[in-house]
């Protein structure tokens, strides 16, 4: 004789399974769970649903994220701004060391780690990711003024997998163990894949060397180069 658990008991059971390496459930049942999440999430989180569907059917092919969608989240723009400020501080220091009439190059990169906020659609696509910003700049001094120009190539990326954490709360489904995705990969019912997005920004700036009576002043203007995403 079989016994059907009520929804509250089932959610509690799923939560507890999140503390285990394996769910103890048959693979077809786990696959059906993920496919039901795809179906029921399309109207609320269409991008997350699409990427979960690709996890099930994409055979591991990498996916390029929509830049407009990605940059619609404050946490992404904050990471971008964090790397911009790092470059700006470097350039200001470099400008102070430059002699009149001289020019120099600056090449460097910065990494910004990103943790998506729980409940946002980005969280269901990418809980933790990385933004790598590679910059190349030229500085030229003429008197008290140093002109700065350059380009920064941003590369956002994250492997889509179910390897971090114990469980994730999904609306309408409650606590879903991370082990579900891991077991589906092990049984060849799903494939991890790389998510990424690239965009380019240009920088124009001026550093004024005013050691007396005021400190130097630097102004920078960033512009996003148009892309197809």
């Amino acid at each position: 004789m079989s016994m059907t658990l009520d929804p509250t008991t089932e959610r509690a059971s799923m939560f507890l399974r999140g503390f285990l390496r394996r769910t103890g459930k048959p693979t077809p049942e786990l696959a059906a769970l993920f496919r039901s999440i795809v179906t029921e999430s399309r109207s609320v989180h269409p991008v997350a649903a699409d990427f979960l569907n690709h996890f099930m059917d994409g055979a591991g092919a990498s996916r390029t994220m929509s830049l407009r969608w990605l940059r619609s989240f404050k946490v992404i723009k904050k990471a971008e701004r964090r790397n911009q400020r790092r470059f700006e501080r470097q350039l200001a220091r470099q400008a102070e060391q430059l002699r009149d009439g001289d020019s120099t190059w600056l090449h460097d990169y910065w990494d910004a780690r990103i943790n998506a906020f729980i409940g946002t659609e980005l969280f269901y696509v990418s809980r933790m990711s990385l933004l790598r910003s590679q910059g190349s700049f030229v500085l030229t001094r003429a008197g008290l003024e140093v002109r700065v120009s350059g380009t920064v190539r941003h590369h956002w990326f994250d492997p889509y997998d179910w390897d971090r954490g114990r469980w994730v709360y999904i609306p309408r489904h409650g606590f879903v163990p991370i082990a579900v995705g891991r077991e589906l990969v092990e049984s060849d019912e799903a494939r991890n894949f790389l998510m990424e997005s690239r965009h380019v920004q240009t920088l124009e700036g001026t550093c004024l060397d005013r050691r007396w009576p005021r400190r130097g002043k630097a102004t920078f203007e960033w512009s996003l180069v148009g892309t197809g995403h």
Side-chain angles (χ1 to χ4, degrees), residues 92 95-96 144-146 148 205-211 214-220:
E96 291 178 356
L144 298 180
E145 182 179 271
V146 177
V148 180
T206 303
C207 298
L208 295 177
D209 190 4
R210 295 176 178 173
R211 292 188 174 86
R214 293 179 298 175
R215 296 179 60 187
K217 181 180 179 182
T219 58
F220 300 100

Side-chain angles (χ1 to χ4, degrees), residues 75-189:
V75 68
I76 298 294
K77 287 190 174 181
K78 283 183 178 180
E80 182 182 281
R81 184 63 188 136
R82 195 182 316 149
N83 284 349
Q84 287 176 346
R85 286 173 177 162
R86 287 165 167 170
F87 283 124
E88 290 173 2
R89 287 193 291 267
Q90 278 185 295
L91 292 166
R93 289 193 298 267
Q94 191 83 5
E96 291 178 356
Q97 302 171 11
L98 201 59
R99 295 180 178 180
D100 189 20
D102 286 352
S103 295
T104 189
W105 284 88
L106 173 66
H107 304 279
D108 206 349
Y109 76 91
W110 290 99
D111 289 343
R113 296 196 176 277
I114 300 166
N115 292 309
F117 292 113
I118 297 175
T120 64
E121 188 170 17
L122 180 62
F123 175 82
Y124 294 114
V125 174
S126 169
R127 299 172 68 179
M128 293 180 286
S129 58
L130 189 76
L131 179 69
R132 174 160 294 175
S133 305
Q134 295 183 305
S136 181
F137 310 91
V138 61
L139 302 87
T140 303
R141 177 179 284 280
L144 298 180
E145 182 179 271
V146 177
R147 300 288 297 177
V148 180
S149 62
T151 300
V152 173
R153 301 183 182 277
H154 300 283
H155 182 203
W156 175 90
F157 58 95
D158 180 37
Y160 189 101
D161 55 38
W162 290 71
D163 292 336
R164 295 188 293 263
R166 293 174 175 174
W167 46 259
V168 60
Y169 181 81
I170 297 179
R172 302 178 185 177
H173 290 83
F175 295 101
V176 176
I178 295 298
V180 174
R182 186 165 52 241
E183 288 185 44
L184 288 174
V185 170
E186 292 173 355
S187 61
D188 205 30
E189 290 292 326

Side-chain angles (χ1 to χ4, degrees), residues 22-88:
R22 304 193 68 81
T23 64
K25 294 280 188 177
T27 298
E29 185 174 332
L30 299 180
L33 170 63
F34 267 22
R35 294 198 181 279
S36 70
I37 293 174
V38 170
T39 301
E40 296 180 23
S41 299
R42 288 196 183 279
S43 60
V44 181
H45 295 310
V47 174
D50 177 49
F51 275 70
L52 181 57
N53 187 63
H54 187 73
F55 173 70
M56 299 294 292
D57 297 331
S62 62
R63 287 288 299 270
T64 300
M65 188 74 69
S66 163
L67 179 59
R68 179 176 298 179
W69 181 85
L70 190 63
R71 294 182 80 244
S72 69
F73 297 95
K74 290 182 180 179
V75 68
I76 298 294
K77 287 190 174 181
K78 283 183 178 180
E80 182 182 281
R81 184 63 188 136
R82 195 182 316 149
N83 284 349
Q84 287 176 346
R85 286 173 177 162
R86 287 165 167 170
F87 283 124
E88 290 173 2

